[in-house]
Amino acid sequence: MTNLDKIAHLAEKSEYDVSTPRKNWDEFDLNKLEALGAGTKHDVCASTATPRVVKGLQRIGNTSRGGICHSFTPDGRCVSLFKTLFTNDCAHDCKYCPNSDDCSTKGKTYSYTPKELADITLSLYQGNYVEGLFLSSGTGKDEDIIMEKLIETARILREDYKYEGYIHLKILPGTDKDYIKRSMEHADRVSLNIESCSKNRFHEVSSTKHYDYDILRRQRYIRDLMEKNGLPASHTTQTIVGGAGENDKEIFESMIREYRKMDLKRMYYSSFKPVEGTALDDKEEVPNSREHRLYQTDWLFRVYDLKPNEITLAFDEKGFLPDGDPKIEIAKRVFDEPVDPNEASYERLLRVPGIGPKSASRIIKSREKEEINKWSELSKLGVVLKRARTFLKVNGWTHSTLDRWSS
Amino acid sequence: MDSLYIGQVVELSLSKRKLELLKANENTERGDLRLAEKIDDDALQTARKDKIIRIRELIRETGREIHKMKGFVRFKLLGEKVKCGYMKPEHEVGFMVLDWFAKRFPGKVIVLGNKEQSWVSIYTEEGVSHEKSGSLESTLDELGEELDMEKKKDLTEVWERYYESQYSERRKNEELFKKNMPEKYMKRAGNKAERKFELQKLDKFKS
């Protein structure tokens, strides 16, 4: 018996009790797939990493601690999940949204059934096209009825198909607490989009949703349920940048509130793009660079552990971030003299542009063995000299162009 | 942890995983392996010497190929038991990729390969069993003698429509796309849908 025969024999023997989904896709409505897929193209779900550990053999799939991108669209964004709406039918009037009840160019209304959606998710997962499901939806006439269907989709996947891959469920604004609890029993991650940075700004883009009641109260439910029952990959939110005329500082302040009060894992930012037929279709597009700068400040707070009052040094007097790396703007104001990598603490190194947590740790470990005497040695430890050089001093040498250091 | 005593010979070595990655890289030379025996993970991370940095890069490159293959290869289902797809890695990472998929789909025979070689893996109560074999075609022929492998309609069309629905013209960023999804890996994992869409867009741009 060859090894291939042995493998075939093992496969014959293994009768794991796992149901298989629909096999025939000939009559499947691809227009529906496209319309409901496109409805989530502005939703960001950057990570599929989850600490949930999967065991046993009676299952399909598992999870990845690091997260996996299965493709990238030509805009450079990762495609990791089957990201779709359950329905594009929505009773709300959000002024930026193509699925809004008020949108004059709103196309045909489509909906999946939970079984149909579970089938297509599992088939794409089995083909290794996706790492799991990201399920959002319009609210239909009643958000609780739609939420029930989202939960049923997840239930079919988990219980009927023994699917153990990643699931991210959107919580619809205003959803009853019991539905939130049930969603969290199946999902790795849930999220509820705050869409705007404050109550006043929110009501400029939607008159049918209540910021405190429909959004913040539901986020508190998620936070409290998570504390009690756990949720593998925690919860997240997303906000539109510039949709209601807010400046970067307003968004930054809401970011800090969200992280501190809601125990949020991540906040995502999506710069406003006008959609034809919506109430805001004549409003100017917000450049992607604003979104990028906000992600950088988010990173400084969350990963580099900079204090909010340090980060606010990067904002101009109108509350906007300048068109450059915020860390450089902060460093220009924080450092009185060039930093010596042989002397500086980890925290001080981390504040130097071009040095991240990994390279700061490497510098500290490396200098314990031997002093750093050359710029090229820093480069080998992962420091980006193009950004860092101005703020460092190596072997007595500086490359500073800052006036106060060159005198 | 036991404490060290004076005169004790301390054996430094890279973690098992890092050594596997180094050995799997096509560009690793004997000198690299000899040097790798004298350093540990910490020395690798904090290295300033070019020879050690080279080892770090070789390990990183192999790890990157494994990560990309885990994301980019696609499977067709043959019957209830077999999942097969195209893969032509640059480095010797076949089993590292295959065994990972086998654990994701217990009881299924995972087959990945190309015209020259193929890898087969399965995960059952007995653990992982795997085998390297000839061309993908001949391996499937051989397995077909043992297993029902009726070809099923694959999801290429469904995937293509979905993939296109996620693209936002206003966010077009070809530089970032090429950085994240280099042509090299698309070819090695056989990503036809992405390459087709990219070429269509280039044609539109030229016309």
Side-chain angles (χ1 to χ4, degrees):
Chain A
M1 193 186 252
T2 68
N3 279 338
L4 279 182
D5 291 338
K6 280 182 200 160
I7 287 173
H9 182 63
L10 283 169
E12 277 292 345
K13 267 200 326 183
S14 65
E15 286 299 337
Y16 303 132
D17 181 25
V18 172
S19 308
T20 47
R22 168 180 174 155
K23 299 175 182 84
N24 185 2
W25 294 99
D26 288 339
E27 289 168 21
F28 181 66
D29 185 354
L30 289 175
N31 292 327
K32 176 161 82 177
L33 175 96
E34 189 173 357
L36 296 178
T40 62
K41 75 164 73 167
H42 298 293
D43 275 301
V44 188
C45 55
S47 174
T48 54
T50 174
R52 182 164 57 87
V53 178
V54 174
K55 289 179 179 167
L57 296 161
Q58 303 283 346
R59 59 174 167 86
I60 295 177
N62 58 8
T63 54
S64 162
R65 275 181 173 268
I68 291 178
C69 288
H70 286 263
S71 189
F72 290 86
T73 52
D75 48 31
R77 291 187 303 168
C78 162
V79 182
S80 54
L81 296 169
F82 174 44
K83 207 153 54 93
T84 184
L85 299 177
F86 184 87
T87 176
N88 55 358
D89 182 18
C90 192
H92 289 295
D93 69 348
C94 304
K95 293 177 182 171
Y96 52 84
C97 180
N99 300 317
S100 154
D101 212 23
D102 291 349
C103 179
S104 64
T105 54
K106 185 174 178 176
K108 190 176 167 184
T109 299
Y110 292 101
S111 295
Y112 283 113
T113 64
K115 169 81 166 57
E116 189 179 28
L117 192 47
D119 281 357
I120 188 165
T121 301
L122 195 61
S123 297
L124 286 169
Y125 186 79
Q126 299 234 41
N128 200 42
Y129 291 97
V130 295
E131 198 62 12
L133 174 67
F134 173 101
L135 184 53
S136 183
S137 188
T139 60
K141 301 291 173 276
D142 181 333
E143 60 272 352
D144 285 341
I145 292 174
I146 299 297
M147 203 67 228
E148 176 84 58
K149 292 183 176 175
L150 266 58
I151 295 166
E152 175 60 8
T153 306
R155 191 207 61 76
I156 293 171
L157 280 165
R158 291 283 192 239
E159 293 177 8
D160 296 352
Y161 293 156
K162 310 276 192 294
Y163 164 80
E164 289 289 349
Y166 191 90
I167 295 179
H168 180 147
L169 289 180
K170 279 277 170 200
I171 302 298
L172 303 180
T175 298
D176 185 87
K177 190 176 181 181
D178 184 53
Y179 289 110
I180 298 177
K181 182 172 180 284
R182 286 170 55 204
S183 302
M184 291 168 71
E185 286 165 6
H186 298 296
D188 286 281
R189 171 172 283 181
V190 299
S191 61
L192 173 53
N193 289 357
I194 59 168
E195 308 292 18
S196 200
C197 59
S198 67
K199 189 173 173 178
N200 288 343
R201 294 292 188 188
F202 185 81
H203 290 146
E204 285 178 40
V205 292
S206 177
S207 70
T208 50
K209 290 190 273 191
H210 195 280
Y211 193 64
D212 288 337
Y213 181 77
D214 291 331
I215 310 291
L216 299 184
R217 182 181 288 187
R218 313 294 141 176
Q219 280 195 310
R220 282 191 287 273
Y221 288 159
I222 298 170
R223 179 199 61 195
D224 296 346
L225 285 164
M226 199 170 74
E227 199 179 307
K228 200 173 160 193
N229 305 323
L231 183 65
S234 189
H235 75 127
T236 61
T237 193
Q238 185 168 332
T239 190
I240 303 165
V241 178
E246 58 274 75
N247 66 26
D248 294 337
K249 200 168 177 196
E250 288 176 80
I251 298 171
F252 175 73
E253 284 163 357
S254 79
M255 170 206 302
I256 302 298
R257 278 197 304 275
E258 283 286 317
Y259 281 129
R260 285 184 170 169
K261 292 189 174 172
M262 299 301 179
D263 199 14
L264 207 70
K265 182 78 173 177
R266 286 289 303 271
M267 182 152 161
Y268 295 105
Y269 312 91
S270 183
S271 52
F272 170 75
K273 307 291 173 201
V275 177
E276 196 187 340
T278 59
L280 296 178
D281 69 356
D282 57 351
K283 190 176 168 68
E284 204 173 320
E285 171 176 346
V286 171
N288 295 335
S289 56
R290 269 189 75 187
E291 172 188 311
H292 181 57
R293 300 296 167 216
L294 282 162
Y295 274 116
Q296 287 177 310
T297 56
D298 183 297
W299 199 254
L300 290 175
F301 176 70
R302 208 164 37 82
V303 181
Y304 286 58
D305 207 21
L306 264 65
K307 303 288 171 277
N309 59 0
E310 277 182 276
I311 300 170
T312 49
L313 294 171
F315 293 89
D316 67 18
E317 64 278 7
K318 289 181 179 168
F320 286 95
L321 289 161
D323 194 18
D325 183 352
K327 196 177 173 190
I328 292 180
E329 296 301 320
I330 296 164
K332 280 180 188 170
R333 287 162 178 80
V334 165
F335 292 124
D336 294 325
E337 57 181 359
V339 175
D340 184 344
N342 288 309
E343 301 287 335
S345 65
Y346 174 80
E347 289 73 22
R348 195 163 167 79
L349 285 171
L350 210 52
R351 280 158 175 77
V352 175
I355 298 182
K358 209 170 184 178
S359 48
S361 296
R362 281 178 179 174
I363 288 171
I364 287 175
K365 279 186 181 172
S366 183
R367 76 188 186 192
E368 283 169 6
K369 295 174 194 161
E370 196 180 351
E371 203 167 72
I372 296 163
N373 288 317
K374 292 177 185 166
W375 292 98
S376 60
E377 290 175 338
L378 284 171
S379 180
K380 286 170 183 172
L381 292 169
V383 175
V384 182
L385 286 182
K386 194 178 155 189
R387 290 204 286 277
R389 210 188 283 270
T390 313
F391 301 95
L392 292 173
K393 177 173 70 178
V394 174
N395 217 5
W397 286 91
T398 65
H399 283 259
S400 178
T401 53
L402 295 182
D403 293 342
R404 65 176 182 274
W405 296 348
S406 55
S407 57
Chain B
M1 191 178 162
D2 295 337
S3 57
L4 298 176
Y5 58 87
I6 295 169
Q8 182 181 357
V9 178
V10 180
E11 284 190 19
L12 293 176
S13 70
L14 291 178
S15 63
K16 193 179 163 200
R17 177 69 176 168
K18 286 199 169 67
L19 276 175
E20 277 174 7
L21 292 172
L22 181 64
K23 284 176 188 167
N25 193 302
E26 281 294 293
N27 302 313
T28 296
E29 295 169 1
R30 275 188 208 165
D32 299 318
L33 291 171
R34 277 200 297 271
L35 181 56
E37 286 169 9
K38 295 173 190 160
I39 56 170
D40 60 9
D41 286 4
D42 211 32
L44 189 74
Q45 289 307 315
T46 57
R48 294 186 230 164
K49 288 180 181 157
D50 288 341
K51 283 183 180 176
I52 302 179
I53 289 169
R54 173 182 151 79
I55 291 175
R56 194 164 79 200
E57 285 307 305
L58 288 166
I59 290 170
R60 195 188 66 83
E61 194 186 331
T62 321
R64 180 171 157 83
E65 180 165 66
I66 293 169
H67 186 72
K68 291 290 182 191
M69 292 302 121
K70 283 179 187 174
F72 293 172
V73 298
R74 307 287 182 242
F75 290 118
K76 287 178 183 172
L77 305 184
L78 300 175
E80 295 296 324
K81 298 285 184 185
V82 181
K83 293 158 81 73
C84 80
Y86 178 85
M87 179 174 83
K88 193 176 183 183
E90 182 180 2
H91 308 293
E92 276 294 324
V93 297
F95 288 136
M96 294 187 219
V97 176
L98 265 279
D99 294 352
W100 185 83
F101 278 119
K103 286 180 179 169
R104 174 160 277 198
F105 301 108
K108 305 288 180 199
V109 182
I110 311 292
V111 190
L112 285 169
N114 52 68
K115 279 183 184 172
E116 284 89 41
Q117 57 187 339
S118 60
W119 298 265
V120 187
S121 188
I122 188 168
Y123 179 54
T124 64
E125 287 93 341
E126 295 175 25
V128 173
S129 306
H130 61 211
E131 175 72 3
K132 190 173 176 182
S133 191
S135 72
L136 180 62
E137 199 181 341
S138 64
T139 301
L140 292 175
D141 283 347
E142 200 172 328
L143 285 169
E145 288 173 14
E146 304 286 333
L147 297 166
D148 169 25
M149 289 185 15
E150 182 200 350
K151 191 176 177 186
K152 296 181 180 176
K153 186 175 167 61
D154 68 41
L155 284 180
T156 306
E157 202 182 347
V158 173
W159 169 248
E160 283 183 10
R161 283 291 283 275
Y162 173 69
Y163 175 73
E164 289 178 32
S165 80
Q166 293 297 299
Y167 170 53
S168 170
E169 182 72 31
R170 287 176 191 272
R171 289 177 172 272
K172 186 177 173 182
N173 188 341
E174 293 218 24
E175 203 179 318
L176 189 59
F177 170 78
K178 282 175 183 161
K179 185 183 163 199
N180 287 331
M181 203 158 183
E183 179 76 14
K184 168 174 131 176
Y185 292 122
M186 278 201 275
K187 275 187 185 168
R188 292 192 178 279
N191 299 115
K192 289 179 185 156
E194 287 83 350
R195 293 181 75 202
K196 190 173 126 189
F197 190 52
E198 187 63 13
L199 290 172
Q200 279 171 354
K201 286 198 307 82
L202 281 175
D203 287 345
K204 274 185 202 168
F205 179 72
K206 283 173 193 162
S207 60

